[in-house]
Amino acid sequence: MRNNLLIFSLAQLFLILIYAVVLIYLHLSPTLESAVYSHYFLRLIPAVLTALVYLIVGRFMNVKGLTDGILVLVLPAVIWGICLAMAYFGGGAEGFVRGAFRSLWRFPADITMLPQMAVVSLLRIKQTTAVYAASAVIPQCLALLVAARGPVTYRRRRDFRRREK
Protein backbone atom coordinates (compact mmCIF):
# COMPACT_ATOMS: atom_id res chain seq x y z
CA MET A 1 0.00 0.00 0.00
CA ARG A 2 2.82 2.35 0.84
CA ASN A 3 4.24 1.95 -2.67
CA ASN A 4 0.87 2.71 -4.26
CA LEU A 5 0.62 6.06 -2.53
CA LEU A 6 4.23 6.85 -3.37
CA ILE A 7 3.64 6.05 -7.04
CA PHE A 8 0.44 8.11 -7.12
CA SER A 9 2.10 11.03 -5.29
CA LEU A 10 5.07 11.05 -7.65
CA ALA A 11 2.78 10.99 -10.68
CA GLN A 12 0.74 13.84 -9.23
CA LEU A 13 3.90 15.85 -8.52
CA PHE A 14 5.13 15.18 -12.07
CA LEU A 15 1.82 16.38 -13.52
CA ILE A 16 1.83 19.47 -11.29
CA LEU A 17 5.29 20.44 -12.53
CA ILE A 18 4.42 19.78 -16.17
CA TYR A 19 1.16 21.72 -16.01
CA ALA A 20 2.77 24.61 -14.16
CA VAL A 21 5.38 25.01 -16.89
CA VAL A 22 2.87 24.55 -19.72
CA LEU A 23 0.34 26.99 -18.27
CA ILE A 24 2.98 29.63 -17.57
CA TYR A 25 4.33 29.33 -21.11
CA LEU A 26 0.82 29.25 -22.55
CA HIS A 27 -0.14 32.54 -20.93
CA LEU A 28 3.17 34.20 -21.81
CA SER A 29 2.67 33.53 -25.52
CA PRO A 30 -0.49 35.26 -26.80
CA THR A 31 -0.39 33.54 -30.20
CA LEU A 32 -0.16 30.09 -28.63
CA GLU A 33 -2.88 30.97 -26.13
CA SER A 34 -5.26 32.13 -28.87
CA ALA A 35 -4.53 29.00 -30.92
CA VAL A 36 -5.16 26.64 -28.00
CA TYR A 37 -8.32 28.37 -26.80
CA SER A 38 -9.79 28.69 -30.30
CA HIS A 39 -9.62 24.97 -31.17
CA TYR A 40 -11.48 22.46 -29.00
CA PHE A 41 -9.21 19.61 -30.16
CA LEU A 42 -6.13 21.39 -28.80
CA ARG A 43 -7.89 21.90 -25.46
CA LEU A 44 -8.86 18.23 -25.36
CA ILE A 45 -5.27 16.96 -25.74
CA PRO A 46 -4.20 17.81 -22.14
CA ALA A 47 -7.29 16.03 -20.79
CA VAL A 48 -6.48 12.88 -22.73
CA LEU A 49 -2.80 13.00 -21.79
CA THR A 50 -3.66 13.47 -18.11
CA ALA A 51 -6.02 10.48 -18.21
CA LEU A 52 -3.28 8.43 -19.91
CA VAL A 53 -0.80 9.31 -17.15
CA TYR A 54 -3.23 8.08 -14.50
CA LEU A 55 -3.89 4.91 -16.49
CA ILE A 56 -0.15 4.28 -16.79
CA VAL A 57 0.29 4.93 -13.08
CA GLY A 58 -2.36 2.30 -12.40
CA ARG A 59 -0.22 -0.29 -14.18
CA PHE A 60 2.54 0.21 -11.60
CA MET A 61 0.21 -0.04 -8.62
CA ASN A 62 -0.27 -3.29 -6.77
CA VAL A 63 -3.77 -3.93 -5.45
CA LYS A 64 -3.90 -7.23 -3.59
CA GLY A 65 -7.25 -6.96 -1.89
CA LEU A 66 -10.32 -4.87 -1.35
CA THR A 67 -8.69 -2.85 1.43
CA ASP A 68 -5.79 -1.83 -0.84
CA GLY A 69 -8.27 -0.74 -3.49
CA ILE A 70 -10.29 1.28 -1.04
CA LEU A 71 -7.18 2.94 0.37
CA VAL A 72 -5.91 3.84 -3.10
CA LEU A 73 -9.27 5.44 -3.81
CA VAL A 74 -9.89 7.09 -0.45
CA LEU A 75 -6.57 8.45 0.84
CA PRO A 76 -5.82 10.94 -1.96
CA ALA A 77 -9.49 11.95 -2.01
CA VAL A 78 -9.31 12.62 1.74
CA ILE A 79 -6.21 14.79 1.29
CA TRP A 80 -7.90 16.76 -1.50
CA GLY A 81 -11.10 16.82 0.52
CA ILE A 82 -9.30 18.48 3.44
CA CYS A 83 -7.89 21.10 1.06
CA LEU A 84 -11.33 21.66 -0.47
CA ALA A 85 -13.02 21.86 2.95
CA MET A 86 -10.48 24.43 4.05
CA ALA A 87 -11.20 26.44 0.89
CA TYR A 88 -14.96 26.13 1.33
CA PHE A 89 -15.04 27.09 5.00
CA GLY A 90 -12.53 29.89 4.51
CA GLY A 91 -13.90 31.48 1.37
CA GLY A 92 -17.40 30.08 1.07
CA ALA A 93 -19.05 28.84 -2.08
CA GLU A 94 -18.20 32.05 -3.94
CA GLY A 95 -14.52 31.19 -3.49
CA PHE A 96 -14.94 28.48 -6.12
CA VAL A 97 -16.58 30.83 -8.61
CA ARG A 98 -13.44 32.93 -8.92
CA GLY A 99 -10.56 31.65 -11.01
CA ALA A 100 -7.71 29.52 -9.78
CA PHE A 101 -5.20 31.06 -7.37
CA ARG A 102 -7.52 33.98 -6.57
CA SER A 103 -8.05 33.00 -2.94
CA LEU A 104 -5.49 32.09 -0.30
CA TRP A 105 -8.03 29.73 1.25
CA ARG A 106 -8.21 27.80 -2.00
CA PHE A 107 -4.45 27.90 -2.67
CA PRO A 108 -3.60 24.41 -1.25
CA ALA A 109 -6.43 22.85 -3.25
CA ASP A 110 -5.31 24.66 -6.39
CA ILE A 111 -1.73 23.47 -5.99
CA THR A 112 -2.54 19.83 -5.23
CA MET A 113 -5.24 19.64 -7.89
CA LEU A 114 -3.46 21.69 -10.57
CA PRO A 115 -3.60 19.04 -13.34
CA GLN A 116 -7.30 18.43 -12.85
CA MET A 117 -8.17 22.13 -12.59
CA ALA A 118 -6.03 22.97 -15.62
CA VAL A 119 -8.04 20.46 -17.64
CA VAL A 120 -11.30 21.86 -16.25
CA SER A 121 -10.30 25.42 -17.14
CA LEU A 122 -9.02 24.45 -20.59
CA LEU A 123 -12.29 22.66 -21.34
CA ARG A 124 -14.14 25.74 -20.02
CA ILE A 125 -16.19 23.81 -17.49
CA LYS A 126 -17.68 26.03 -14.80
CA GLN A 127 -15.69 25.59 -11.60
CA THR A 128 -18.03 24.60 -8.80
CA THR A 129 -17.62 22.54 -5.66
CA ALA A 130 -19.15 19.54 -7.46
CA VAL A 131 -16.59 19.82 -10.26
CA TYR A 132 -13.80 20.01 -7.69
CA ALA A 133 -15.18 16.98 -5.85
CA ALA A 134 -15.49 14.96 -9.05
CA SER A 135 -11.98 15.88 -10.16
CA ALA A 136 -10.67 14.79 -6.76
CA VAL A 137 -11.99 11.26 -7.29
CA ILE A 138 -11.67 10.62 -11.05
CA PRO A 139 -7.84 10.21 -11.15
CA GLN A 140 -7.86 7.56 -8.43
CA CYS A 141 -10.73 5.74 -10.13
CA LEU A 142 -8.78 5.58 -13.39
CA ALA A 143 -5.65 4.30 -11.67
CA LEU A 144 -7.63 1.86 -9.53
CA LEU A 145 -9.43 0.36 -12.52
CA VAL A 146 -6.14 -0.47 -14.20
CA ALA A 147 -4.51 -1.60 -10.94
CA ALA A 148 -7.42 -3.90 -10.08
CA ARG A 149 -7.31 -5.45 -13.52
CA GLY A 150 -3.77 -6.76 -12.88
CA PRO A 151 -4.65 -9.44 -10.29
CA VAL A 152 -7.65 -10.56 -12.34
CA THR A 153 -5.45 -11.05 -15.41
CA TYR A 154 -2.85 -12.85 -13.30
CA ARG A 155 -5.47 -15.26 -11.88
CA ARG A 156 -6.89 -15.93 -15.34
CA ARG A 157 -3.43 -16.76 -16.71
CA ARG A 158 -2.66 -18.93 -13.68
CA ASP A 159 -5.87 -20.90 -14.10
CA PHE A 160 -5.20 -21.32 -17.81
CA ARG A 161 -1.69 -22.68 -17.09
CA ARG A 162 -3.10 -25.12 -14.52
CA ARG A 163 -5.63 -26.42 -17.02
CA GLU A 164 -2.93 -26.98 -19.62
CA LYS A 165 -0.95 -29.32 -17.32
Side-chain angles (χ1 to χ4, degrees), residues 9-23:
S9 299
L10 288 176
Q12 188 70 20
L13 181 64
F14 173 73
L15 282 173
I16 288 170
L17 291 174
I18 294 296
Y19 269 102
V21 170
V22 167
L23 290 175

Side-chain angles (χ1 to χ4, degrees), residues 135-154:
S135 63
V137 176
I138 290 173
Q140 292 93 270
C141 289
L142 289 174
L144 184 63
L145 286 174
V146 174
R149 195 184 84 192
V152 172
T153 306
Y154 174 76

Side-chain angles (χ1 to χ4, degrees), residues 109-130:
D110 287 336
I111 289 294
T112 57
M113 297 179 69
L114 181 64
Q116 294 94 322
M117 290 301 103
V119 168
V120 166
S121 65
L122 282 174
L123 295 178
R124 295 185 178 164
I125 298 172
K126 186 177 179 184
Q127 294 181 4
T128 61
T129 53

Side-chain angles (χ1 to χ4, degrees), residues 9-124:
S9 299
L10 288 176
Q12 188 70 20
L13 181 64
F14 173 73
L15 282 173
I16 288 170
L17 291 174
I18 294 296
Y19 269 102
V21 170
V22 167
L23 290 175
I24 288 171
Y25 184 72
L26 179 70
H27 293 294
L28 288 178
S29 174
T31 56
L32 182 63
E33 184 178 20
S34 65
V36 167
Y37 282 112
S38 63
H39 300 292
Y40 188 75
F41 176 73
L42 292 176
R43 290 184 285 154
L44 194 62
I45 290 173
V48 171
L49 291 177
T50 303
L52 283 175
V53 167
Y54 288 121
L55 291 173
I56 291 169
V57 164
R59 294 198 58 130
F60 293 107
M61 290 184 169
N62 186 12
V63 178
K64 292 181 181 169
L66 182 64
T67 56
D68 280 351
I70 291 172
L71 287 175
V72 166
L73 185 63
V74 170
L75 283 179
V78 166
I79 292 169
W80 288 330
I82 290 170
C83 293
L84 290 175
M86 187 172 68
Y88 185 77
F89 290 120
E94 65 273 353
F96 290 98
V97 176
R98 293 183 240 138
F101 301 107
R102 302 268 192 247
S103 169
L104 283 177
W105 288 104
R106 207 175 84 180
F107 186 75
D110 287 336
I111 289 294
T112 57
M113 297 179 69
L114 181 64
Q116 294 94 322
M117 290 301 103
V119 168
V120 166
S121 65
L122 282 174
L123 295 178
R124 295 185 178 164

